[in-house]
Amino acid sequence: MADNPMLKFVTEGQSYPAKRAADLRAADFREIADRYAVPDAEDQASRCSQCGVPYCSVHCPLHNHIPDWLRLTAEGRLREAYELSNSTSTMPEICGRICPQDRLCEGNCVIEFSGHGAVTIGSVEKFITDTAWAEGWVEPVVVGPSRGQSVAVIGAGPAGLTAAEYLRGHGYDVHVYDRHDRAGGLLTYGIPGFKLEKPVVMRRIERLAAAGIEFHYGFAVGEDATLDALRRQHDALLIATGVYKARQVDVTGNETPGVVAALDYLTASNRKSFGDAVPAFDDGRLDAAGRNVVVIGGGDTAMDCVRTAIRQGAASVKCLYRRDRANMPGSQREVANAEEEGAEFVWLSAPLGFDGEGQVSTVRASRMRLGAPDASGRRAPEVDPGAGLTLDADLVIKALGFDAEDLPTLWGAPELGVSRWGTVLVDGKTLMTSLDGVFAAGDIVRGASLVVWAIRDGRDVAASMHKWLKAKARAEKVAA
């Protein structure tokens, strides 16, 4: 009987793919670590304990078959591992790069609890699918027989792209409408290349286009067509716009030149990586080179801004956050990466105002302290009376999160039901909105969240739309 290739967490130590030296990686926008070599990936996968209740899968929004494809990897059966990984996720190599594994699968790994260090699930997931692309194992989308029905998807982010792929597989004509000139949403324009290199996203989109999904770029609903017009043109419609409206901080000087929104800043940087002309970058407004940068916020978007500014050659980069390290929402790995690359974190501090004549020059801030836990379980910050500080800054980036845009007004669709936060209301079972045949999924329903949840929502809404469209086709056949 052959030796068990698994349960080697006692003899095999935890090891992630080696990161490039901080000074080298801070000089470019390449991903900071390469993928495993085959023996290393097999060794790390072999550390899985194959536990009876796989908490890694339970805590994965997609419920990926993680222990199974880890075992296949350990056995050297990489093509089978890829096929199993791909069976539950439309973008496994993207999730492997940007999911907060420390809060999801790896953070709930049984051997992490035993003190041996979690299986490096995300890095193995990335390795499996990158290998599949390199070896030509990633097959075209299998398109089902034509159903003679069309679907409109508004928004080409992860939720919309996932739904489009599944619906195309069912044989529907799928049209994706997006206001940008490239698909991908935040995958393309919000997340920097050092976390997700853009060819990784573009090859996914090219695969969907090759399957006959039609992309309509530069298309703004409410301007280029009303929501009603799209409903008349298609048999069903999916709203998957995400949330893009920047949250504001209520302090003086918000409109001072040099105070910018995180997404504007990140989009400009990512556009430059594509070789686009970006006037607001080229004239210096959205370029951190040589400037004292202060980023406001403690989430993953703030970390993206901090690390982008370093790569653009900022004179100094500080991140101002109102809680301490233990209570920040962003990935601890990202904080560590940023510190290695030269960022400074100013914990327990909140802005009071942005000052400057014609251009921001300083950030006034108050010192904070942590009080009782709030509804999220984190200790709520409160002002520490009498304590304050002033930071030099000629570029301030506000990374305070995102809210939903006012879609009923923008789209001329007052009958579209939304919550008091502007997110679209859906039936919890069918995911249909207040409008018949109009569905919604992703961040526009749940609020700003993770890419992996958007993929899960896209998968779920595609199944619901497929069921509804089949019923519609039957009803029309009977009526005829």
Side-chain angles (χ1 to χ4, degrees):
M1 183 175 176
D3 290 339
N4 187 345
M6 309 305 292
L7 288 88
K8 295 183 179 178
F9 59 89
V10 176
T11 57
E12 188 73 42
Q14 182 192 60
S15 178
Y16 288 92
K19 293 186 288 188
R20 293 183 289 136
D23 59 336
L24 295 178
R25 68 182 195 245
D28 61 45
F29 281 86
R30 288 175 47 217
E31 291 178 14
I32 69 172
D34 294 323
R35 65 186 176 99
Y36 286 119
V38 173
D40 295 330
E42 293 177 357
D43 289 344
Q44 288 304 303
S46 74
R47 299 179 67 247
C48 176
S49 65
Q50 299 285 287
C51 50
V53 179
Y55 292 110
C56 55
S57 296
V58 170
H59 288 273
C60 170
L62 292 167
H63 301 313
N64 289 330
H65 306 301
I66 297 169
D68 298 320
W69 50 253
L70 285 173
R71 184 184 184 98
L72 290 168
T73 301
E75 294 173 349
R77 298 158 65 184
L78 292 182
R79 184 163 191 168
E80 293 170 82
Y82 156 70
E83 289 170 351
L84 188 57
S85 172
N86 188 65
S87 70
T88 53
S89 176
T90 55
M91 305 176 186
E93 76 280 28
I94 291 175
C95 289
R97 285 167 163 85
I98 64 175
C99 265
Q101 289 94 6
D102 51 340
R103 303 205 305 264
L104 299 173
C105 54
E106 294 179 20
N108 291 279
C109 177
V110 167
I111 66 171
E112 171 76 10
F113 300 151
S114 70
H116 290 88
V119 177
T120 54
I121 296 167
S123 297
V124 175
E125 182 179 38
K126 169 187 171 183
F127 165 79
I128 291 169
T129 310
D130 279 357
T131 300
W133 280 103
E135 297 294 331
W137 301 337
V138 179
E139 297 177 348
V141 176
V142 178
V143 180
S146 176
R147 293 180 176 272
Q149 292 173 296
S150 70
V151 176
V153 177
I154 303 174
L161 293 177
T162 295
E165 179 169 341
Y166 283 115
L167 289 166
R168 185 63 181 143
H170 288 308
Y172 298 104
D173 295 332
V174 180
H175 294 258
V176 178
Y177 298 89
D178 196 273
R179 57 186 161 189
H180 295 295
D181 55 352
R182 295 180 181 90
L186 290 178
L187 299 177
T188 298
Y189 286 131
I191 298 174
F194 52 79
K195 285 172 60 177
L196 178 60
E197 291 179 354
K198 300 313 157 187
V200 173
V201 181
M202 293 300 111
R203 67 189 180 191
R204 281 284 171 192
I205 294 161
E206 289 162 5
R207 178 172 173 269
L208 297 182
I213 294 173
E214 293 193 36
F215 288 89
H216 304 266
Y217 295 124
F219 191 102
V221 179
E223 297 177 10
D224 297 294
T226 64
L227 188 65
D228 279 344
L230 288 178
R231 292 180 70 193
R232 290 192 297 270
Q233 188 176 342
H234 300 281
D235 293 282
L237 192 147
L238 172 62
I239 300 172
T241 57
V243 291
Y244 282 87
K245 181 181 171 184
R247 289 180 186 159
Q248 297 299 323
V249 56
D250 186 17
V251 300
T252 60
N254 258 315
E255 304 304 319
T256 305
V259 179
V260 303
L263 192 55
D264 292 342
Y265 174 70
L266 293 172
T267 299
S269 179
N270 280 313
R271 283 193 175 281
K272 292 302 293 185
S273 74
F274 282 106
D276 295 353
V278 186
F281 181 94
D282 297 333
D283 66 16
R285 283 175 289 162
L286 296 177
D287 184 0
R291 303 169 80 172
N292 294 311
V293 178
V294 173
V295 177
I296 312 293
D300 288 336
T301 299
M303 298 307 100
D304 292 344
C305 292
V306 164
R307 299 179 65 202
T308 295
I310 289 169
R311 283 159 175 77
Q312 290 178 350
S316 68
V317 180
K318 294 181 173 66
C319 183
L320 202 67
Y321 182 55
R322 59 182 180 160
R323 291 183 170 96
D324 61 7
R325 180 192 292 264
N327 286 277
M328 72 178 302
S331 165
Q332 293 294 330
R333 292 179 189 173
E334 287 300 293
V335 175
N337 287 332
E339 288 179 325
E340 290 169 3
E341 292 163 5
E344 178 184 343
F345 286 83
V346 186
W347 306 110
L348 292 168
S349 301
L352 289 172
F354 310 124
D355 300 328
E357 293 295 329
Q359 172 69 31
V360 68
S361 58
T362 57
V363 175
R364 286 180 290 108
S366 59
R367 288 293 186 184
M368 308 294 286
R369 62 190 181 192
L370 295 180
D374 61 14
S376 70
R378 292 185 297 161
R379 294 175 63 191
E382 55 188 38
V383 175
D384 186 357
L389 69 159
T390 300
L391 303 173
D392 291 336
D394 41 21
L395 178 61
V396 176
I397 304 170
K398 296 181 292 185
L400 301 163
F402 305 99
D403 290 321
E405 297 163 293
D406 183 4
L407 296 188
T409 299
L410 288 173
W411 292 358
E415 67 277 17
L416 178 65
V418 296
S419 71
R420 60 182 175 141
W421 299 282
T423 51
V424 175
L425 295 172
V426 297
D427 179 273
K429 184 177 181 180
T430 66
L431 304 180
M432 190 183 293
T433 69
S434 57
L435 303 176
D436 191 49
V438 178
F439 299 77
D443 286 4
I444 193 58
V445 173
R446 67 170 63 242
S449 186
L450 302 173
V451 167
V452 68
W453 273 114
I455 295 171
R456 164 66 183 272
D457 293 347
R459 188 177 74 185
D460 290 348
V461 80
S464 184
M465 294 175 74
H466 179 42
K467 181 178 180 180
W468 186 86
L469 283 160
K470 286 192 296 183
K472 180 182 181 182
R474 285 195 298 268
E476 290 175 347
K477 185 175 181 180
V478 169

